[in-house]
């Protein structure tokens, strides 16, 4: 019964109308929309699946102040980053020596999509295979039959502005919910006390515990796209095989393991599972079929497809060959050289205590503070048996972010294991006030950007305690603090952080920064004159004092200033003025405060409107 259910569901899981179909324009029959080719079962041009390791950079040219990119790494990364953000509509400026027509534009877009989602181009945990399988369809919008995508031609190059639309099986907001689940799990995994085998099994068991196979989604395609995503597996708690596989891929990558999403022919075997590396060898993992055993009460078979070889993986397949790798996708150069060559012909032997994956690998520290120099975490192996000889190879161990140390085989041919550690940001310089950043109820604070930081946290000191006030994004170098009181001194500090290994690692706090908001602008309530004198009255505001300016020139040229160092004073008589002269007056308030360094500072309100009177 389990096999029948799984086979039927597997037949539907990758093609269950997650295809969007093809839309053609009736007037010219040009195809401008296409489903994800990996769901269609059709061949993909071999050129699109070649290894990107030696791919050339894009040719970049500027026209009308815009940069245009030819096929190449820079353009692929622009596409990739839009996919990671789940941008549904975006524009690329495309450069080519060949003219793009309506007949072939969708083929161009498909090639860009395939290359942008190549595992060889992966630089994180949410690109590569993870985004390749979340795209539902793509299309290109045209501005008119006679306008070839804003075509321009200059010096042998064609310049195109391509307005693209992509559909996804999940959204950016749903990915944020996935992030929370993944981060919490990764943070809970103590890699200093678990073996590699125990860690991979923990990932497998966690995914199986979080979700169940979604039979309804497999058989009903309306509105069930979530089932093919990590959101379905880890948040909604129900998914199809693709959901299990992308969730396993994502978490293993977060933990630093080499992992791939693999599948059979979407129109025949129609199934998805994973490959993960231990001891320098890849093994197959099918959490979907293992979870079916668990759901049916056969818990003794819960690890049947955990770290097995190809023969064992296919041993329970039906005639359609659910676990037969689709050669259209998995005989490309990159997969063959970096994955297929290292797949073990035997099942993983969890009883072999001589394997490095059966030892506990410890780091002396899991987090370090940025120093500007390369950092090497200490490594030692805890085992009761003889383990393979290895050397250490460090990478990404200078800049802020996730660093890595690989335990490499003696002949340097394989990575036997790995561990990750974090380089958190160094102490930030103090905050400052942005240009024109002072207002009555707000302050615009500025800082120097920390390269590699995931974000910042600004804290405010109130009532004897520090409170989080603002959490600016990594790209920010200023932030507006609102809902403040006029003429009030405030104290701030800032720190940056990097998100890594499921947690936030913070820099030390900056020195405190003290500043003040502007006082409210006082208003002159009356002017009265008597015997070569004028009395100015105004409405009281919170401040340290006031400055009155007066002049016989409406433009306030050569104005004289009278300073009043009391906030309680609300009137001032000015004597020795010229009879019959018209005088103009305005006033502003000021607030005195002391900076963090002990310097005396003053903030001023805006000046009031001018009032005038003729002196008697």
């Amino acid at each position: 019964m389990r096999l029948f259910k799984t086979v039927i569901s597997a037949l539907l899981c990758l093609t269950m109308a997650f295809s969007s179909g093809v839309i053609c324009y009736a007037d010219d029959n040009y195809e401008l929309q296409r489903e994800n080719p990996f769901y269609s079962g059709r061949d993909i041009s071999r050129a699109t699946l070649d290894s990107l390791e030696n791919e050339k950079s894009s040719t970049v040219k500027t026209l009308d102040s815009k940069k245009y990119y030819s096929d190449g790494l820079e353009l692929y990364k622009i596409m990739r980053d839009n996919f990671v953000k789940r941008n549904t509509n975006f524009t690329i400026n495309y450069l080519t020596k060949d003219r793009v027509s309506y007949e072939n534009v969708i083929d161009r877009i498909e090639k860009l999509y395939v290359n942008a989602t190549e595992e060889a181009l992966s630089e994180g945990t949410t690109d590569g295979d993870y985004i390749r399988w979340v795209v539902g369809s793509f299309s290109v919008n045209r501005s008119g039959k006679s306008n070839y995508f804003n075509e321009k031609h200059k010096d042998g190059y064609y310049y195109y502005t391509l307005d693209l639309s992509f559909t996804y099986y999940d959204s950016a907001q749903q990915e944020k919910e996935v992030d929370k689940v993944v981060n919490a799990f990764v943070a809970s995994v103590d890699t200093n006390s678990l073996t590699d085998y125990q860690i991979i099994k923990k990932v497998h068991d966690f995914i199986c515990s979080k979700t169940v196979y979604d039979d309804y989604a497999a058989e009903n395609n309306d509105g069930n796209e979530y089932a093919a995503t990590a959101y379905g597996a880890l948040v909604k708690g129900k998914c199809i095989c693709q959901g299990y596989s992308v969730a396993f891929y994502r978490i293993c990558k977060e933990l630093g393991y080499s992992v791939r999403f693999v599948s059979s022919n979407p129109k025949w075997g129609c199934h998805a599972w994973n490959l993960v590396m231990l001891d320098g060898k890849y093994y197959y993992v099918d959490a979907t079929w293992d979870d079916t055993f668990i759901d049916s009460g056969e818990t003794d078979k819960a690890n049947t497809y955990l770290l097995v070889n190809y023969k064992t993986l296919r041993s329970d397949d039906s005639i359609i060959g659910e676990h037969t790798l689709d050669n259209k996708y998995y005989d490309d150069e990159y997969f063959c050289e970096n994955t297929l060559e290292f797949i073990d012909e035997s099942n993983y032997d969890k009883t072999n205590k001589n394997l490095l994956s059966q030892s506990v690998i410890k780091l002396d520290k899991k987090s370090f503070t940025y120093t500007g120099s390369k950092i090497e975490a200490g490594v030692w192996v805890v085992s009761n048996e003889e383990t393979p000889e290895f050397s250490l190879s460090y990478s990404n161990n200078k800049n802020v972010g996730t660093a890595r140390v690989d335990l490499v085989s003696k002949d340097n041919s394989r990575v036997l294991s790995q561990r990750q550690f974090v380089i958190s940001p160094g102490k930030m310089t103090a905050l400052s006030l942005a240009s024109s950043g002072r207002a009555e109820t707000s302050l615009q604070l500025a800082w120097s950007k920390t390269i590699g930081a995931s974000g910042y946290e600004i804290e405010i000191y109130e009532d004897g305690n520090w409170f989080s006030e603002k959490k600016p994004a990594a790209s920010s170098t200023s932030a507006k603090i609102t809902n403040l009181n006029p003429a009030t001194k405030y104290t701030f500090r800032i720190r940056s952080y990097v998100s890594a290994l499921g947690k936030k690692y913070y820099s030390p706090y900056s020195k405190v920064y003290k500043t003040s908001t502007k006082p409210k602008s006082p208003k002159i309530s009356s002017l009265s004159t008597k015997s070569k004198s004028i009395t100015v009255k105004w409405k009281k505001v919170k401040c340290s004092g006031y400055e009155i300016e007066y002049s016989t020139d409406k433009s306030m040229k050569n104005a004289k200033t009278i300073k009043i160092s009391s906030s309680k004073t609300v009137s001032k008589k000015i004597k020795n003025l010229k009879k019959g002269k018209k005088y103009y007056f305005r006033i502003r308030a000021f607030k005195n405060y002391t900076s963090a360094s002990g310097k005396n500072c003053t903030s001023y309100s805006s000046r009031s409107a001018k009032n005038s009177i003729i002196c008697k």
Side-chain angles (χ1 to χ4, degrees):
M1 184 64 184
R2 179 198 69 82
L3 181 59
F4 174 78
K5 167 184 158 185
T6 307
V7 169
I8 297 300
S9 299
L11 278 168
L12 296 165
C13 68
L14 291 179
T15 57
M16 55 167 211
F18 284 161
S19 61
S20 308
V22 172
I23 295 178
C24 299
Y25 286 85
D27 60 342
D28 50 26
N29 202 38
Y30 293 147
E31 179 194 14
L32 294 180
Q33 179 167 327
R34 183 176 291 171
E35 67 173 323
N36 184 332
F38 292 97
Y39 295 121
S40 67
R42 64 180 177 80
D43 288 335
I44 298 174
S45 169
R46 294 302 306 137
T48 63
L49 289 174
D50 287 341
S51 172
L52 296 180
E53 288 183 317
N54 299 313
E55 183 71 44
K56 294 181 179 179
S57 295
S58 297
T59 298
V60 184
K61 290 186 174 293
T62 301
L63 184 67
D64 299 332
S65 301
K66 295 181 180 178
K67 288 185 177 181
Y68 289 75
Y69 300 83
S70 71
D71 288 82
L73 292 177
E74 287 77 11
L75 181 57
Y76 302 152
K77 289 179 180 180
I78 290 172
M79 297 282 289
R80 178 198 66 189
D81 293 346
N82 275 284
F83 300 152
V84 170
K85 295 174 182 177
R86 300 298 190 273
N87 289 335
T88 54
N89 296 285
F90 57 93
T91 299
I92 61 169
N93 297 320
Y94 186 55
L95 180 72
T96 177
K97 288 188 174 182
D98 303 317
R99 193 176 193 186
V100 177
S101 66
Y102 289 123
E103 295 96 320
N104 64 26
V105 66
I106 202 69
D107 290 328
R108 299 280 184 122
I109 302 307
E110 179 173 292
K111 179 178 179 180
L112 293 176
Y113 152 72
V114 172
N115 281 341
T117 58
E118 270 289 336
E119 189 69 15
L121 201 64
S122 174
E123 294 179 338
T125 62
T126 57
D127 53 11
D129 291 342
Y130 192 74
I131 52 172
R132 170 166 285 180
W133 293 92
V134 78
V135 170
S137 67
F138 47 87
S139 59
V140 59
N141 303 317
R142 61 177 184 172
S143 54
K145 186 174 181 180
S146 61
N147 187 343
Y148 277 68
F149 315 112
N150 299 313
E151 177 188 294
K152 297 177 182 179
H153 187 261
K154 182 180 178 182
D155 299 331
Y157 284 93
Y158 290 94
Y159 296 75
Y160 294 98
T161 301
L162 301 179
D163 295 319
L164 306 181
S165 294
F166 277 77
T167 65
Y168 307 95
Y169 297 157
D170 64 4
S171 65
Q173 180 57 43
Q174 289 172 339
E175 268 299 290
K176 290 181 180 179
E177 295 182 57
V178 172
D179 291 343
K180 291 179 182 178
V181 176
V182 171
N183 289 341
F185 174 75
V186 170
S188 73
V189 178
D190 184 4
T191 56
N192 264 3
S193 64
L194 298 173
T195 67
D196 284 333
Y197 168 73
Q198 290 170 332
I199 293 170
I200 295 301
K201 185 177 183 302
K202 191 178 182 73
V203 175
H204 168 276
D205 295 350
F206 173 72
I207 292 171
C208 290
S209 71
K210 289 291 290 184
T211 192
V212 295
Y213 193 88
D214 194 339
D215 293 292
Y216 181 82
E219 299 170 10
N220 298 272
N221 54 24
D222 185 21
N224 298 314
E225 290 87 352
Y226 68 85
T229 68
Y231 175 78
L234 302 176
V235 180
K236 283 189 73 74
K238 50 184 180 179
C239 65
I240 56 174
C241 59
Q242 183 170 319
Y244 284 91
S245 301
V246 292
F248 185 86
Y249 172 94
R250 167 75 187 277
I251 295 176
C252 284
K253 261 204 161 183
E254 292 281 356
L255 289 165
Y257 291 93
S258 182
V259 60
R260 292 299 307 265
F261 173 107
V262 288
S263 67
S264 53
N265 188 308
K267 287 191 173 181
W268 186 238
C270 192
H271 190 48
W273 62 100
N274 297 99
L275 277 163
V276 66
M277 179 176 277
L278 289 181
D279 302 296
K281 297 179 180 179
Y282 278 103
Y283 299 91
Y284 292 99
V285 176
D286 189 344
T288 308
W289 281 29
D290 277 345
D291 197 33
T292 309
F293 280 124
I294 296 170
D295 292 342
S296 64
E298 300 177 88
T299 55
D300 58 318
K301 298 181 180 179
N303 299 315
T304 298
Y305 298 102
L306 175 63
L307 302 173
V308 296
N309 63 9
Y310 200 28
K311 180 180 179 181
T312 300
L313 182 75
R314 294 178 297 164
S315 60
D316 203 19
D317 282 4
S318 71
I319 192 173
I320 64 174
E322 291 83 0
H323 289 102
T324 302
L325 281 173
D326 192 337
N327 287 333
K328 290 196 302 297
Y329 307 154
Y330 300 112
D331 64 354
D332 68 277
E333 182 182 340
Y334 184 83
F335 184 82
C336 290
E337 290 182 358
N338 294 276
T339 304
L340 193 62
E341 182 179 338
F342 299 101
I343 296 177
D344 201 339
E345 295 181 357
S346 302
N347 293 332
Y348 177 78
D349 184 2
K350 64 182 180 181
T351 66
N352 185 357
K353 301 304 178 181
N354 291 320
L355 294 174
L356 194 59
S357 58
Q358 288 291 326
S359 304
V360 174
I361 301 168
K362 293 189 175 185
L363 300 182
D364 59 350
K365 287 178 65 177
K366 285 192 174 182
S367 66
F368 300 81
T369 301
Y370 173 80
T371 63
S373 301
K374 290 185 177 181
I375 296 173
E376 296 185 354
V379 180
W380 71 94
V381 175
V382 180
S383 175
N384 293 324
E385 304 291 338
E386 184 178 351
T387 55
E389 293 185 30
F390 59 85
S391 59
L392 299 179
S393 176
Y394 293 85
S395 57
N396 302 321
N397 61 325
K398 180 179 179 181
N399 297 323
V400 170
T402 304
R404 178 183 175 109
V405 54
D406 289 333
L407 284 68
V408 183
S409 62
K410 188 177 180 180
D411 60 2
N412 292 319
S413 64
R414 295 178 296 157
V415 175
L416 300 177
S417 186
Q418 54 71 39
R419 286 296 181 267
Q420 298 179 115
F421 57 96
V422 178
I423 301 176
S424 59
K427 186 176 181 179
M428 297 181 64
T429 56
L431 291 158
S432 61
L433 193 66
S435 178
S436 303
R438 196 190 312 275
E440 294 176 6
T441 59
S442 67
L443 292 165
Q444 186 82 20
L445 302 178
W447 60 88
S448 297
K449 187 175 183 179
T450 298
I451 303 300
S454 302
Y456 304 90
E457 183 177 42
I458 298 172
E459 292 186 347
I460 187 169
Y461 190 75
E462 292 180 332
D463 301 324
N465 293 292
W466 287 98
F467 298 94
S468 179
E469 175 66 25
K470 203 89 171 181
K471 295 182 178 180
S475 59
S476 303
T477 55
S478 70
K480 189 174 185 178
I481 311 300
T482 58
N483 299 318
L484 303 178
N485 296 316
T488 303
K489 184 173 74 173
Y490 289 96
T491 302
F492 301 96
R493 65 184 182 183
I494 188 173
R495 59 179 177 171
S496 58
Y497 67 86
V498 60
S499 296
L501 306 185
K503 298 191 295 186
K504 290 181 179 179
Y505 292 82
Y506 289 91
S507 73
Y509 285 105
S510 68
K511 291 182 179 179
V512 298
Y513 174 65
K514 295 181 179 181
T515 190
S516 171
T517 49
K518 282 184 177 182
K520 283 187 176 181
S521 179
K523 294 181 180 179
I524 295 175
S525 55
S526 68
L527 294 175
S528 59
T529 180
K530 184 178 179 181
S531 185
K532 296 184 180 181
S533 67
I534 296 174
T535 300
V536 184
K537 292 185 178 181
W538 60 89
K539 292 184 178 180
K540 183 180 180 181
V541 297
K542 181 182 177 182
C543 63
S544 301
Y546 304 92
E547 284 187 352
I548 299 171
E549 289 182 310
Y550 66 96
S551 175
T552 57
D553 189 318
K554 188 176 181 179
S555 67
M556 303 304 288
K557 185 178 180 180
N558 299 320
K560 293 182 179 180
T561 301
I562 297 174
K563 186 173 183 179
I564 300 168
S565 299
S566 172
S567 61
K568 296 180 180 180
T569 302
V570 292
S571 68
K572 178 66 177 177
K573 185 176 183 179
I574 303 172
K575 302 177 181 180
N576 301 318
L577 302 179
K578 293 182 179 180
K579 184 178 179 179
K581 278 285 188 179
K582 189 174 186 178
Y583 284 88
Y584 295 88
F585 291 85
R586 64 186 181 186
I587 188 172
R588 66 177 178 175
F590 62 86
K591 169 67 177 177
N592 295 324
Y593 66 95
T594 304
S595 70
S597 63
K599 182 180 178 181
N600 293 326
C601 303
T602 303
S603 65
Y604 293 92
S605 74
S606 300
R607 291 181 171 88
S608 69
K610 292 190 291 286
N611 287 30
S612 64
I613 191 172
I614 297 175
C615 184
K616 290 183 178 179

